[in-house]
Amino acid sequence: MRDSKHIVVYHQGRYFKVWLYHDGRLLKPREMEQQMQRILDNTSEPQPGEARLAALTAGDRVPWARCRQAYFGRGKNKQSLDAVEKAAFFVTLDETEQGYRTEDPDTSMDSYAKSLLHGQCYDRWFDKSFTFVVFKNGKIGINAEHSWADAPIMAHLWEYVMATDSRQLGYAEDGHCKGDTNPNIPYPTRLQWDIPEECQEVIETSLNTANLLANDVDFHSFPFVAFGKGIIKKCRTSPDAFVQLALQLAHYKDKWHHVVIASYCFKVKVWEAVPLKQER
């Protein structure tokens, strides 16, 4: 398998292909910033059906499979779809502002979490292994497709990214990435689509399906500052096991506390990483 040499960026309904290499080397941070700025400065309009195209990856799988076969098997649509699917990862430059706000901790975290989970249901490519979502106020997060890896993989990736960004790369005093721009690097290229009205109708149907699912998600997130993993480890307990027990207890209190059971024996299935399961 060859390493991918490009990413695909979604911004205001347009898809851009961005090369990660120039003159045989990876782009430097300031050069990558330059490419993102070029996308932000691009004023072109989305092509018909382009803006909500990714809703096909959010709805039912059968309509998406049929659309692939009927409309994305040849020509410019096939080339553009190949660019998306062969990209190292997907990036969304989101026009909303998200993140934790001390004056409104609960609502801000709920909005942040739901945005990363599904966004507008057409601005994340849900078939990609992961999508970096960069918000207008500089906050960033990840939407990951689960079949290829468990959560710790993305956690390790994110830890590496954050550590490298803060401890090795850094920023100049004016807020830009350190280094210089490079005018010789080609501009990001717009992906070209020819999406007929029949396919656009399927896109809208898929979007409606996805919106129903997204609106049915009740996601409440909040910062927990009473204690952390350090205290749990001092109690000779695994932090992961502690959380799993908390989930079991919460389920019991929610579903079973009002029922008198002479012989109490039931099991609640909770999340378990595949590597842990294989070790048993």
Side-chain angles (χ1 to χ4, degrees), residues 27-39:
L27 296 186
K28 298 177 182 179
R30 187 66 179 91
E31 295 168 341
M32 183 58 70
E33 179 190 343
Q34 168 186 291
Q35 296 299 77
M36 295 301 107
Q37 189 61 53
R38 286 172 167 176
I39 292 174

Side-chain angles (χ1 to χ4, degrees), residues 72-115:
F72 295 90
R74 58 191 177 276
K76 63 177 67 174
N77 286 349
K78 184 179 187 306
Q79 292 177 356
S80 294
L81 181 60
D82 282 347
V84 174
E85 296 188 330
K86 293 179 180 178
F89 50 85
F90 195 81
V91 176
T92 294
L93 300 180
D94 199 297
E95 286 294 290
T96 66
E97 295 187 1
Q98 300 290 344
Y100 174 74
R101 299 192 303 273
T102 55
E103 68 276 13
D104 186 16
D106 292 345
T107 303
S108 63
M109 289 295 288
D110 293 352
S111 175
Y112 195 9
K114 279 183 66 69
S115 182

Side-chain angles (χ1 to χ4, degrees), residues 53-61 64 121 124-128 206:
L53 174 61
L56 290 172
T57 70
D60 293 332
R61 306 305 292 173
W64 175 209
C121 295
R124 286 92 172 102
W125 196 276
F126 294 101
D127 287 353
K128 287 299 292 182
S206 295

Side-chain angles (χ1 to χ4, degrees), residues 9-266:
V9 179
Y10 177 92
H11 177 245
Q12 291 186 344
R14 297 90 44 86
Y15 290 80
F16 295 84
K17 183 177 181 179
V18 181
W19 290 104
L20 300 174
Y21 288 79
H22 180 68
D23 284 342
R25 60 166 177 80
L26 276 169
L27 296 186
K28 298 177 182 179
R30 187 66 179 91
E31 295 168 341
M32 183 58 70
E33 179 190 343
Q34 168 186 291
Q35 296 299 77
M36 295 301 107
Q37 189 61 53
R38 286 172 167 176
I39 292 174
L40 293 173
D41 294 339
N42 187 299
T43 59
S44 60
E45 294 293 325
Q47 299 159 85
E50 180 182 17
R52 297 180 172 183
L53 174 61
L56 290 172
T57 70
D60 293 332
R61 306 305 292 173
V62 172
W64 175 209
R66 290 173 176 168
C67 275
R68 286 182 65 102
Q69 185 175 25
Y71 308 115
F72 295 90
R74 58 191 177 276
K76 63 177 67 174
N77 286 349
K78 184 179 187 306
Q79 292 177 356
S80 294
L81 181 60
D82 282 347
V84 174
E85 296 188 330
K86 293 179 180 178
F89 50 85
F90 195 81
V91 176
T92 294
L93 300 180
D94 199 297
E95 286 294 290
T96 66
E97 295 187 1
Q98 300 290 344
Y100 174 74
R101 299 192 303 273
T102 55
E103 68 276 13
D104 186 16
D106 292 345
T107 303
S108 63
M109 289 295 288
D110 293 352
S111 175
Y112 195 9
K114 279 183 66 69
S115 182
L116 289 174
L117 182 65
H118 53 67
Q120 299 185 73
C121 295
Y122 60 77
D123 51 359
R124 286 92 172 102
W125 196 276
F126 294 101
D127 287 353
K128 287 299 292 182
S129 53
F130 59 91
T131 295
F132 279 121
V133 184
V134 185
F135 296 101
K136 195 172 184 179
N137 57 343
K139 299 295 183 180
I140 186 172
I142 300 175
N143 177 288
E145 197 279 315
H146 204 341
S147 66
W148 68 280
D150 285 314
I153 305 301
M154 296 307 300
H156 291 318
L157 167 65
W158 199 234
E159 182 180 43
Y160 177 82
V161 169
M162 296 300 292
T164 303
D165 182 66
S166 62
R167 297 190 177 188
Q168 295 183 22
L169 301 176
Y171 297 87
E173 292 183 359
D174 60 2
H176 291 288
C177 295
K178 292 181 178 180
D180 300 316
T181 59
N182 186 344
N184 295 322
I185 297 176
Y187 274 67
T189 55
R190 282 283 307 271
L191 297 186
Q192 299 300 310
W193 308 93
D194 182 13
I195 303 175
E197 292 186 1
E198 297 86 352
C199 183
Q200 294 181 40
E201 292 176 359
V202 180
I203 291 173
E204 292 303 315
T205 300
S206 295
L207 179 59
N208 291 335
T209 300
N211 279 328
L212 288 174
L213 292 172
N215 293 334
D216 194 41
V217 173
D218 185 12
F219 201 128
H220 180 54
S221 178
F222 61 93
F224 183 82
V225 296
F227 58 87
K229 64 181 181 181
I231 291 180
I232 298 174
K233 290 182 177 179
K234 288 181 180 179
C235 297
R236 302 176 66 84
T237 302
S238 162
D240 179 73
F242 182 90
V243 173
Q244 302 287 0
L245 288 170
L247 292 172
Q248 297 271 5
L249 180 60
H251 182 81
Y252 170 72
K253 286 187 173 182
D254 181 49
K255 301 295 184 182
W256 296 86
H257 70 279
H258 61 285
V259 180
V260 177
I261 306 176
S263 178
Y264 169 71
C265 181
F266 77 96

